[in-house]
């Protein structure tokens, strides 16, 4: 990293994987724009970064809206400096079997994951192109390989992988890399909510997941954050267009 502090933006950073990523990037020396639907929900993440001596700002935005996505990027750039890293982590689940899935279940997942990532990337890449350096890191999932009851989620997570590869080709000449991290089963509030939605206990959901994880434990948000840290670093300067499955075993 240069002597001038770079700025990272992490979407969906109020809690879970996003919060862990924001904290890790702050530890790595980045100023961090913490983005979520409501700025007040980001207070704990910003406070934790401040306590470690880092710089952070909370921004509330519906990233599926073009004006809000663009405003979020410009607000962060104005307060913290030019954006060098973008982590497209924000996401929601609306799991259901295909014949039960509503139009809204499908559309809302597409809007947040794919449209939101597109809009944030389009807004942030200008700063990276101007600087001749950038890192775009998209959070995919093992669900990109297909998952029962997740045709919407599987579609967007697979779409993010294609999006990543296209970005790597298009933006590489500007010194910008694009990579994706695909988590397996990670213990978060989202996975707890998923268990409740399908009518099983979280303990049962964890036990089911463990049968498919060779390492014998579920993932932690920090496992994903550490991988993002690598992709954001100079050590990954010649790595682009890749998808890394972080799932405790050979997935993908």
């Amino acid at each position: 990293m240069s002597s001038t502090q770079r700025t990272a933006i992490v979407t969906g950073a109020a809690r879970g994987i996003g919060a862990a990523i924001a904290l890790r990037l702050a530890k790595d020396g980045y100023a961090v724009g913490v983005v979520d639907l409501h700025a007040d929900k980001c207070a704990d993440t910003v406070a934790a970064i401040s306590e470690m001596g880092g710089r952070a700002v909370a921004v509330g935005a519906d990233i599926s809206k073009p004006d809000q996505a663009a405003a979020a990027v410009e607000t962060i750039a104005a307060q913290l400096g030019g954006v060098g890293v973008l982590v497209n982590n924000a996401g929601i689940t609306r799991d259901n079997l295909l014949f039960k899935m509503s139009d809204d279940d499908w559309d809302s997942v597409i809007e947040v994951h794919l449209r939101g990532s597109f809009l944030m990337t389009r807004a942030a890449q200008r700063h990276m192109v101007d600087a001749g350096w950038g890192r775009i890191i998209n959070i995919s999932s093992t669900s990109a390989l297909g998952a029962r009851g997740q045709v919407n989620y599987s579609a967007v997570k697979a779409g993010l992988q294609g999006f990543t590869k296209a970005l790597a080709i298009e933006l590489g000449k500007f010194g910008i890399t694009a990579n994706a991290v695909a988590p397996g089963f990670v213990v978060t509030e989202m996975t707890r909510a998923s268990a409740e939605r399908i009518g099983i206990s979280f303990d049962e959901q964890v036990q089911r997941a463990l049968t498919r994880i060779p390492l014998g434990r579920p993932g932690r948000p920090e496992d994903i954050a550490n991988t993002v840290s690598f992709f954001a670093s100079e050590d990954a300067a010649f790595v682009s267009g890749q998808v890394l499955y972080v799932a405790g075993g050979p997935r993908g």
Side-chain angles (χ1 to χ4, degrees), residues 137-153:
I137 303 158
N138 298 313
I139 306 303
S140 179
S141 168
T142 55
S143 292
L145 303 173
R148 185 175 186 271
Q150 287 193 317
V151 293
N152 50 3
Y153 193 74

Side-chain angles (χ1 to χ4, degrees), residues 206-244:
V206 171
Q207 290 306 310
R208 289 182 183 181
L210 291 180
T211 65
R212 305 187 298 275
I213 303 175
L215 283 178
R217 70 164 176 87
R220 298 183 289 261
E222 292 75 19
D223 294 318
I224 312 309
N226 293 337
T227 309
V228 170
S229 173
F230 166 68
F231 279 139
S233 72
E234 292 296 343
D235 291 337
F238 201 58
V239 181
S240 195
Q242 302 305 305
V243 179
L244 180 55

